[in-house]
């Protein structure tokens, strides 16, 4: 679905944000992009819908070279949700906000109203259509921003730090919704610093460092590798740190989820 080939991106001033990144993402994958600030995560993701064009190399979206397609064309295949939902919201009502793209495409009113309602339902967002989106909670505004993108029915959904500013409950609600979208068939790319979310939700992890790919693999393989975590200057999930400290009890050192460790400790106590 998405492919970069020896992708370089150099910003004005000579900053090499991406340096020779080659990556393929298949349809239906749930991929976590992680790395320190400045590692190139957002720069890479913005190439997938044409917001940025390659300095060198190329990017293919469903076989289309992004240099030969407009952002409007690519946005029908790849939806990008920015980190701050308020940077996307401008409508006076939820209906006006979410339907904006459909109106621009010439979709008939009776059809776009139905599509807006379906998307809000898909996101478990129970708000009046005449509500002012700017007055909703942060969690609701995040979902409205996702609705802005989903109403176009893109095959790929990119979320840039979607849980920033959310408490634990709202974070889980949002990520459970994203997981549901993935299970319904969408390709999802999650850019995040929250390693616990990566361990909990994604199927594949790509680490970037200094504009290059440092690692690509399953969350268990990546997050439980102490040497790799040190190289990437990241912190493993707290539950993994605890599991590694309990290795003398026979606990595997590659535990990355709380429920895994709980089951292992219950089993250990029963045997005692």
């Amino acid at each position: 679905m998405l492919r970069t080939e020896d992708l370089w991106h150099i910003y004005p001033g000579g900053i090499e944000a991406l340096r020779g990144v080659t990556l393929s993402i298949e349809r239906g994958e749930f991929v976590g992009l992680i790395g320190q600030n400045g590692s190139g995560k957002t720069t890479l993701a913005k190439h997938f819908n044409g917001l940025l064009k390659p300095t060198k190399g190329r990017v293919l979206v469903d076989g289309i070279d992004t240099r030969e397609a407009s952002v409007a064309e690519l946005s029908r295949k790849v939806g990008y949700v920015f980190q701050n939902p308020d940077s996307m919201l401008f409508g006076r009502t939820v209906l006006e906000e979410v339907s904006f793209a459909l109106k621009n495409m010439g979709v008939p009113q009776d059809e776009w109203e139905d599509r807006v309602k379906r998307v809000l339902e898909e996101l478990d967002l129970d708000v009046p259509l005449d509500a002012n989106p700017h007055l909703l909670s942060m969690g609701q505004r995040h979902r409205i921003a996702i609705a802005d993108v989903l109403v176009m029915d893109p095959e790929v959904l990119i979320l840039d730090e979607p849980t920033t500013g959310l408490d634990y409950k709202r974070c889980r609600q949002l990520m459970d919704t994203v997981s549901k979208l993935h299970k319904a068939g969408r390709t999802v790319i999650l850019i995040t610093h929250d390693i616990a979310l990566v361990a909990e939700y994604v199927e594949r992890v790509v680490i970037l460092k200094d504009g290059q790919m440092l690692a690509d693999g399953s969350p268990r393989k990546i997050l439980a590798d102490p040497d790799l975590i040190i190289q990437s200057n990241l912190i493993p999930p707290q539950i993994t740190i605890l599991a590694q400290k309990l290795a003398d009890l026979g606990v595997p050192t590659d535990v990355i989820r709380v429920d895994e460790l709980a089951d292992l400790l219950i089993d250990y106590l029963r045997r005692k």
Side-chain angles (χ1 to χ4, degrees):
M1 184 65 201
L2 305 173
R3 179 169 176 79
T4 68
E5 299 175 351
D6 191 28
L7 174 61
W8 288 69
H9 190 84
I10 303 174
Y11 285 108
I15 299 173
E16 294 180 341
L18 295 175
R19 300 186 292 148
V21 174
T22 296
L23 172 69
S24 292
I25 296 176
E26 304 298 328
R27 276 185 174 83
E29 285 195 289
F30 196 153
V31 180
L33 278 182
I34 63 175
Q36 283 195 313
N37 287 336
S39 61
K41 306 183 298 297
T42 295
T43 299
L44 174 60
K46 286 183 176 179
H47 279 78
F48 292 138
N49 70 344
L51 286 172
L52 293 176
K53 304 294 186 181
T55 303
K56 291 189 288 186
R58 67 173 183 163
V59 178
L60 301 175
V61 174
D62 200 17
I64 301 170
D65 191 320
T66 59
R67 290 171 299 190
E68 300 171 0
S70 67
V71 174
E73 292 172 304
L74 293 171
S75 66
R76 300 189 184 188
K77 290 183 175 290
V78 181
Y80 193 107
V81 182
F82 290 87
Q83 178 176 348
N84 182 0
D86 294 332
S87 66
M88 296 179 62
L89 305 182
F90 61 89
R92 293 169 296 179
T93 67
V94 169
L95 181 60
E96 179 182 326
E97 172 67 37
V98 180
S99 65
F100 179 78
L102 299 179
K103 294 176 185 177
N104 280 354
M105 291 170 55
V107 175
Q109 180 172 350
D110 58 345
E111 182 179 337
W112 57 250
E113 285 186 353
D114 287 341
R115 285 174 66 170
V116 168
K117 291 175 183 177
R118 286 201 305 270
V119 166
L120 295 179
E121 183 178 346
E122 189 175 9
L123 292 172
D124 297 321
L125 190 53
D126 185 16
V127 295
L129 293 179
D130 60 355
N132 185 331
H134 304 278
L135 301 180
L136 300 177
S137 70
M138 175 62 82
Q140 290 172 323
R141 297 202 303 276
H142 271 290
R143 290 174 189 242
I144 291 294
I146 295 174
D148 283 349
V149 170
L150 285 186
V151 78
M152 299 283 288
D153 197 26
E155 296 182 59
V156 181
L157 180 63
I158 300 175
L159 299 132
D160 194 345
E161 298 285 359
T163 58
T164 298
L166 299 183
D167 59 26
Y168 178 77
K169 179 181 178 181
R170 289 183 173 85
C171 174
R172 290 301 298 257
Q173 287 174 339
L174 178 61
M175 288 307 303
D176 286 346
T177 299
V178 172
S179 180
K180 185 173 72 172
L181 295 173
H182 168 246
K183 290 174 182 177
R186 284 187 173 85
T187 305
V188 178
I189 299 173
L190 174 68
I191 304 170
T192 184
H193 286 92
D194 192 330
I195 302 301
L197 287 184
V198 173
E200 183 81 13
Y201 290 97
V202 311
E203 299 172 339
R204 176 184 173 193
V205 179
V206 174
I207 299 181
L208 294 181
K209 182 180 181 182
D210 298 328
Q212 296 180 305
M213 276 183 54
L214 178 62
D216 181 1
S218 70
R220 191 176 307 281
K221 174 184 175 182
I222 299 295
L223 301 181
D225 185 331
D227 294 334
L228 188 56
I229 292 296
I230 290 172
Q231 287 182 58
S232 60
N233 296 315
L234 296 170
I235 299 175
Q238 291 182 337
I239 205 68
T240 303
I241 296 173
L242 178 58
Q244 292 171 350
K245 290 183 180 297
L246 296 174
D248 291 344
L249 300 180
V251 174
T253 58
D254 63 350
V255 172
I256 62 173
R257 293 168 54 111
V258 173
D259 57 340
E260 288 181 295
L261 184 57
D263 290 343
L264 288 166
L265 292 178
I266 290 171
D267 182 63
Y268 173 80
L269 293 172
R270 285 173 175 168
R271 287 188 280 109
K272 286 295 183 179

